[in-house]
Amino acid sequence: MKVYNVAIDGPAGAGKSTVAKMAAAALGFIYVDTGAMYRALALYFIRHGIKAEETARIGEALPTLDVSIEYRDGEQVVLLDRENVNAFIRTQEVGQMASLISPLPAVRKKLLFLQRGLAERTSVIMDGRDIGTMVLPDADVKIYLTADAQVRAGRRLKELEAKGESCEREEILREIVARDEQDMSREVSPLRKAQDAVVVDASNLTAQEVADRIVSLVRERCEKCR
Ligand code: DC
């Protein structure tokens, strides 16, 4: 049976995971959040006092680590050495560490294998930074989702407040801008729009509007999904 792959890339806080989840539910595809995989590895290094610049220690630890994905009640669960780490990976600290370790080729290689394996078996909507350019270059639909940095900071602030975490808007904005810079300027798999990606600017759109746009793009291109 033909599987369909949808790639969504874009900067931090553009709403990729929210809209990818909504579109995946509408299409009956599986949603794969690749950022969560980088975050799981970042969590391990933070817990073990390993800094991003300690590449030798990271290189030694990587082969001993097991990152996997399961779906429980339709939700992606990230397992780090079989522990469900979903509750620990959504902090700013872990996001920043994930961004710092993600340029390391050994880190990317480990996760690339896992990501491609998932997309070979099932129809997926996969989001990240290099999905359309590197992980799934032959994806049926590629979206580059972006939004103004101020808007992204405002949304992140709301998310954090909803979880009871207090944070300054200015600090979030600084972190978002720094993370964009890190993710776009790295040599290995930088965040950039794939040539054949459709750009969606979500600054003035609701999540539902963006998800609907993605669903209709997928339906235009995938016979089975009509
Ligand atoms: O999407 P996110 O904020 O959960 O991602 C955390 C970091 O992981 C991001 O700043 C860069 C890295 N990342 C990556 O390099 N490639 C991906 N496909 C996904 C995330």
Side-chain angles (χ1 to χ4, degrees):
M1 195 177 83
K2 161 113 177 96
V3 297
Y4 290 91
N5 289 169
V6 180
I8 305 184
D9 292 299
K16 298 185 296 293
S17 61
T18 308
V19 301
K21 261 185 220 165
M22 293 164 94
L27 292 160
F29 291 6
I30 281 183
Y31 164 55
V32 182
D33 172 2
T34 62
M37 301 173 186
Y38 287 92
R39 285 171 182 264
L41 289 179
L43 178 70
Y44 177 91
F45 299 132
I46 292 171
R47 281 178 173 175
H48 289 81
I50 300 176
K51 301 220 161 46
E53 51 281 9
E54 293 182 287
T55 50
R57 287 181 78 192
I58 291 179
E60 267 167 38
L62 278 174
T64 71
L65 290 179
D66 179 52
V67 176
S68 58
I69 297 290
E70 274 181 9
Y71 290 86
R72 299 185 187 159
D73 299 326
E75 277 293 306
Q76 173 180 294
V77 174
V78 186
L79 302 169
L80 174 64
D81 293 331
R82 305 309 299 163
E83 175 196 353
N84 173 356
V85 290
N86 274 18
F88 311 111
I89 58 174
R90 292 285 149 214
T91 64
Q92 294 284 104
E93 184 195 11
V94 173
Q96 177 58 11
M97 182 64 166
S99 179
L100 288 173
I101 58 154
S102 62
L104 301 175
V107 167
R108 302 208 76 81
K109 194 171 162 206
K110 185 175 180 89
L111 297 182
L112 182 67
F113 182 73
L114 175 63
Q115 293 157 4
R116 285 197 178 145
L118 286 164
E120 266 166 27
R121 293 192 295 272
T122 20
S123 292
V124 295
I125 296 194
M126 187 175 285
D127 80 2
R129 302 294 188 286
D130 62 337
I131 310 305
T133 52
M134 180 60 70
V135 181
L136 306 175
D138 298 325
D140 300 280
V141 175
K142 296 181 188 177
I143 312 282
Y144 188 83
L145 184 65
T146 187
D148 180 77
Q150 288 282 358
V151 173
R152 291 187 277 133
R155 289 183 187 156
R156 267 281 146 94
L157 180 64
K158 271 195 195 149
E159 266 172 33
L160 291 170
E161 282 174 351
K163 283 194 290 182
E165 287 180 38
S166 68
C167 219
E168 289 291 320
R169 191 195 174 91
E170 283 312 306
E171 192 194 327
I172 296 179
L173 181 62
R174 262 198 308 278
E175 286 193 20
I176 279 187
V177 171
R179 202 126 76 80
D180 287 355
E181 167 65 21
Q182 263 163 223
D183 295 346
M184 290 175 181
S185 65
R186 68 188 183 205
E187 269 172 39
V188 186
S189 294
L191 164 65
R192 60 184 170 77
K193 180 187 109 50
Q195 259 186 347
D196 48 351
V198 176
V199 178
V200 177
D201 184 334
S203 306
N204 298 309
L205 298 174
T206 64
Q208 189 63 58
E209 285 168 332
V210 178
D212 290 348
R213 179 91 204 279
I214 294 170
V215 170
S216 55
L217 278 169
V218 175
R219 287 195 171 130
E220 271 167 31
R221 295 198 194 166
C222 306
E223 290 292 327
K224 191 192 92 173
C225 322
R226 277 181 200 179

